[in-house]
Amino acid sequence: MSWWARRSARTRLAIVLIAAQATVVVCLAVIIAFAQARIVYSQLDQQLDDDIENAEQLLERAPEGGLRWRAGQRADGHAEPEADRSIEVFGADGNLLYRSRTALAVDLGSPPSVPEHMRNGPASRAFPGDGHLRVLSGGCAVNGLPVVIRAARSDKLVRDQLALLGGSITAALVAMVLMATLTGYAIAGRALAPLAKMAERAKTITAEKLSERLPVENPRDELGRLAIVMNEAFARLERSFEQMRRFTADASHELRTPLTAIRTVGEVALREGVDAAASREVIGSMLEETDRLARLVDSLLTLSRADAGRVKLNPEPTDLAELAREVVGHLGVLAEEKRQTIAVESQGPVPVLVDRLVLRQAVINVVDNAIKYGPEAGPIRVVVESKPQGAVLAVVDRGPGIAVEHRARVFDRFYRVDASRSREDGGAGLGLAIARWAVEANGGCLELESKPGEGSTFRIVLPRRPPA
Ligand code: ADP
């Protein structure tokens, strides 16, 4: 793991903040220093330009040859330049015609030839002894004689000014970085504080305390949104745990009922002693309960395998109308026992691509319910048709119907509208839960339409199989 990755989020955030602030400050300092240097050097260069112009006007040709300052220009009789500057004048062929007394003891060599009215430079020149000069040459004419005047001034003052500015900027920079370090670390700490609180709270959330939620300090910032999303995840987890707990409790209860019945029947028979005919009856009722138990265990197994995602679907081209006829043929005996008429209505094959066995279970459960809850001698219709929304298998009965408040819940596990009646019919409230899973696993949906007192229609809607 890199050094960076090993640092805490707070340190990393603080480093980024400090680096960003320092970069901005350094850039600003560099810009200010350059701007200031430009200003002071252009002032110095202007002064050198003035020096050249003055010299051009105040020098004249001496009768004995060479150049001299015009007399009477200054009170002391010397129109010589002041001590901090020097003037040199060169002829067209580069020979020195004049050098001021104040000229610094440095040989700057011959100047470049510069056309009249033009300037060359300016340039900074260093000379031994830590000295620095600013030099400017200009092409001029003294009494018609073309010359090159070279003016030089020490730029010590300018350098001192810039050094002072540089020192101040560096000191300010160090102070700012120090401040940025302190504030950056504090800001990073503050920004991440809700995260630490969330972590503390998250530690207390266990399977037993899933109702706890993370604190949401500001729902509009990133950490607030993270807390909201995590709270939603905890809510889902809580619901799943609750469903699981309820499922386990309901399943245990449902398993107990037939077991208790078997035990009671057995105990009574043992205690009271029974003749051959009565013992047949006892054994018959025990087998009936065992059957119920086996069906229940089968249903529970189907659901738990479905929950674990362990049911591997094997889709195959299937005719929904034929599947309906097969199921009706299989359950016809039960309908006959109640003198019900049960018929499949279809206009022809309705092709679907489904796992036949899994879907068959759904159709069986829905048709079985229509028989169980439909009235004696009532009609049951199984209508299979191809509709724009898909392949539809509707089971229509004339039973008691299902009131609005129960409609969504009848698909829940172990939910029964009338528990005692349903149990009499052998139902544990798992049939529709399994049917819904089986239909949805095949890409469809199971809908319910019902008018209390008139009957119910359970509709399995599946994607139609595209023509080959
Ligand atoms: P069960 O095994 O108890 O029938 P289901 O999950 O199949 O469980 O059904 C749940 C409940 O929905 C039933 O207990 C019953 O009250 C109601 N129900 C299901 N189908 C019908 C129907 N066709 N007509 C009226 N009520 C029904």
Side-chain angles (χ1 to χ4, degrees):
M1 206 193 278
S2 69
W3 177 89
W4 181 251
R6 270 183 280 124
R7 304 277 78 82
S8 69
R10 181 181 188 181
T11 310
R12 278 186 279 169
L13 191 59
I15 291 175
V16 171
L17 279 174
I18 295 161
Q21 289 186 35
T23 310
V24 171
V25 172
V26 167
C27 288
L28 265 174
V30 169
I31 291 169
I32 291 173
F34 269 100
Q36 187 61 21
R38 258 187 94 96
I39 292 169
V40 289
Y41 271 107
S42 74
Q43 282 170 351
L44 187 60
D45 295 341
Q46 186 57 51
Q47 286 169 352
L48 288 171
D49 194 71
D50 293 347
D51 288 349
I52 292 173
E53 266 180 27
N54 278 341
E56 187 181 11
Q57 282 163 20
L58 297 179
L59 282 169
E60 63 180 5
R61 288 166 84 166
E64 63 277 13
L67 301 174
R68 67 174 186 200
W69 292 99
R70 286 179 209 279
Q73 290 303 314
R74 283 174 50 154
D76 59 3
H78 296 291
E80 287 269 283
E82 286 162 34
D84 64 337
R85 67 201 76 165
S86 84
I87 292 288
E88 291 164 309
V89 185
F90 297 85
D93 49 3
N95 57 322
L96 181 68
L97 299 177
Y98 169 79
R99 171 177 269 171
S100 66
R101 281 189 293 142
T102 54
L104 295 138
V106 189
D107 184 11
L108 296 172
S110 308
S113 69
V114 187
E116 211 177 313
H117 306 307
M118 300 292 275
R119 297 286 184 264
N120 191 329
S124 290
R125 304 273 292 267
F127 59 87
D130 205 20
H132 285 273
L133 282 180
R134 188 80 175 163
V135 180
L136 181 70
S137 304
C140 304
V142 173
N143 301 132
L145 178 70
V147 293
V148 172
I149 300 178
R150 182 162 67 193
R153 279 180 182 237
S154 161
D155 62 359
K156 186 172 181 319
L157 202 68
V158 169
R159 280 175 180 276
D160 287 351
Q161 273 179 18
L162 289 179
L164 189 69
L165 180 74
S168 321
I169 287 178
T170 311
L173 207 73
V174 171
M176 284 185 85
V177 168
L178 271 176
M179 256 171 61
T181 309
L182 289 177
T183 53
Y185 203 63
I187 290 172
R190 257 185 93 91
L192 295 175
L195 212 55
K197 275 192 207 160
M198 274 159 61
E200 269 315 301
R201 182 69 69 82
K203 272 192 216 160
T204 67
I205 301 179
T206 57
E208 285 71 41
K209 281 170 79 181
L210 268 176
S211 55
E212 293 271 332
R213 292 289 176 268
L214 299 181
V216 182
E217 294 198 351
N218 179 0
R220 276 182 294 278
D221 72 7
E222 288 78 0
L223 291 183
R225 284 205 293 276
L226 175 69
I228 291 172
V229 170
M230 286 184 67
N231 281 343
E232 285 167 2
F234 283 131
R236 283 197 297 275
L237 215 59
E238 190 184 7
R239 276 199 298 277
S240 305
F241 261 72
E242 187 45 45
Q243 270 172 8
M244 225 165 68
R245 250 182 232 134
R246 222 178 31 232
F247 182 69
T248 317
D250 289 346
S252 318
H253 179 74
E254 291 300 328
L255 288 169
R256 257 180 90 103
T257 315
L259 280 175
T260 313
I262 294 173
R263 191 189 175 135
T264 316
V265 172
E267 276 174 358
V268 170
L270 261 185
R271 203 169 46 236
E272 296 179 357
V274 285
D275 58 19
S279 67
R280 287 176 85 88
E281 206 175 296
V282 167
I283 293 170
S285 114
M286 278 178 159
L287 284 178
E288 216 173 86
E289 292 299 333
T290 316
D291 259 3
R292 185 199 292 256
L293 208 53
R295 272 199 313 263
L296 184 61
V297 171
D298 274 351
S299 299
L300 287 174
L301 263 176
T302 305
L303 281 173
S304 71
R305 283 173 60 224
D307 285 347
R310 288 217 315 270
V311 181
K312 185 146 174 18
L313 292 188
N314 197 5
E316 52 184 316
T318 305
D319 174 10
L320 200 56
E322 194 215 304
L323 181 70
R325 281 193 289 272
E326 186 189 314
V327 170
V328 166
H330 178 67
L331 297 179
V333 213
L334 297 177
E336 265 171 34
E337 277 175 16
K338 286 181 83 177
R339 290 179 294 113
Q340 290 162 325
T341 54
I342 179 161
V344 177
E345 299 169 20
S346 78
Q347 300 289 323
V350 178
V352 283
L353 188 65
V354 290
D355 183 307
R356 205 184 150 81
L357 274 184
V358 171
L359 188 71
R360 188 170 180 271
Q361 188 60 56
V363 182
I364 288 181
N365 289 4
V366 174
V367 174
D368 183 48
N369 277 351
I371 298 171
K372 266 194 311 197
Y373 302 107
E376 290 272 337
I380 295 168
R381 293 168 59 219
V382 181
V383 185
V384 186
E385 53 194 339
S386 195
K387 288 205 153 177
Q389 73 264 37
V392 180
L393 185 154
V395 180
V396 189
D397 66 48
R398 293 262 181 85
I402 297 170
V404 191
E405 64 270 25
H406 299 297
R407 259 175 230 168
R409 302 199 58 196
V410 288
F411 297 100
D412 290 350
R413 294 168 186 193
F414 297 110
Y415 189 82
R416 288 168 297 207
V417 175
D418 178 350
S420 56
R421 211 203 121 184
S422 188
R423 189 172 283 125
E424 263 170 40
D425 292 323
L430 291 176
L432 287 178
I434 292 176
R436 184 171 65 175
W437 161 75
V439 173
E440 286 177 357
N442 277 298
C445 59
L446 178 56
E447 300 167 351
L448 162 62
E449 219 176 79
S450 183
K451 273 201 187 131
E454 288 183 27
S456 314
T457 301
F458 282 90
R459 203 172 283 117
I460 295 173
V461 185
L462 290 161
R464 266 178 310 176
R465 187 177 153 227

